[in-house]
């Protein structure tokens, strides 16, 4: 078995309202700086997510399909590559052993 890093594009079955992540900014008041958090929402049609997979090369697609349960994988926008064996944790199990945050999008560019 080998380790692979996949950039997966998932198309949601229906658009979903999700929060828009924005970094905090500083507002200077008369007395001191204050952290300000901007909140907002967007209508997402899908997301990208990095997933690390331990599997045989010909099983990566199957592992990804089994893991993603909230939409359909857009295979034309999904790719994976083999990871350097020195950069993978030895205790990682078979299947998906790392899942990054979802990065939502609202339109195809």
């Amino acid at each position: 078995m080998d380790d692979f890093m996949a950039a997966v594009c998932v198309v949601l079955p229906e658009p979903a309202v999700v929060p828009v992540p924005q970094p905090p900014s500083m507002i200077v008041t008369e007395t001191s700086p204050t952290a300000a958090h901007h909140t907002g929402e967007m209508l997402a049609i899908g997301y990208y997510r990095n997933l690390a997979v331990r599997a045989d090369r010909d099983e990566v697609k199957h592992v990804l399909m089994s893991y993603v349960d909230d939409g359909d994988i857009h295979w034309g926008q999904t790719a994976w590559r083999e990871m350097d064996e020195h950069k993978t944790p030895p205790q990682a199990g078979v299947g998906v052993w790392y899942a990054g945050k979802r990065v939502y999008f609202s339109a195809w560019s």
Side-chain angles (χ1 to χ4, degrees):
M1 284 195 202
D2 295 309
D3 290 293
F4 300 88
M5 181 58 72
V8 180
C9 177
V10 177
V11 180
L12 299 173
E14 293 191 20
V17 176
V18 297
V20 175
Q22 295 185 358
S25 61
M26 296 300 285
I27 297 175
V28 179
T29 64
E30 291 181 26
T31 57
S32 65
T34 304
H37 298 277
H38 301 284
T39 59
E41 295 178 332
M42 66 182 256
L43 193 60
I45 61 170
Y47 64 85
Y48 286 94
R49 190 175 198 184
N50 289 331
L51 301 173
V53 175
R54 180 165 288 170
D56 291 326
R57 182 175 301 279
D58 58 347
E59 288 295 312
V60 174
K61 190 172 183 177
H62 177 71
V63 171
L64 295 174
M65 289 183 344
S66 297
Y67 187 81
V68 174
D69 62 358
D70 58 349
D72 295 321
I73 296 174
H74 185 309
W75 295 110
Q77 296 292 320
T78 296
W80 58 88
R81 62 175 171 72
E82 191 169 348
M83 295 177 67
D84 183 344
E85 65 185 53
H86 300 291
K87 294 183 179 182
T88 59
Q91 71 276 13
V94 175
V96 174
W97 55 266
Y98 168 81
K101 290 184 177 183
R102 291 174 176 91
V103 179
Y104 290 97
F105 58 89
S106 59
W108 296 103
S109 355

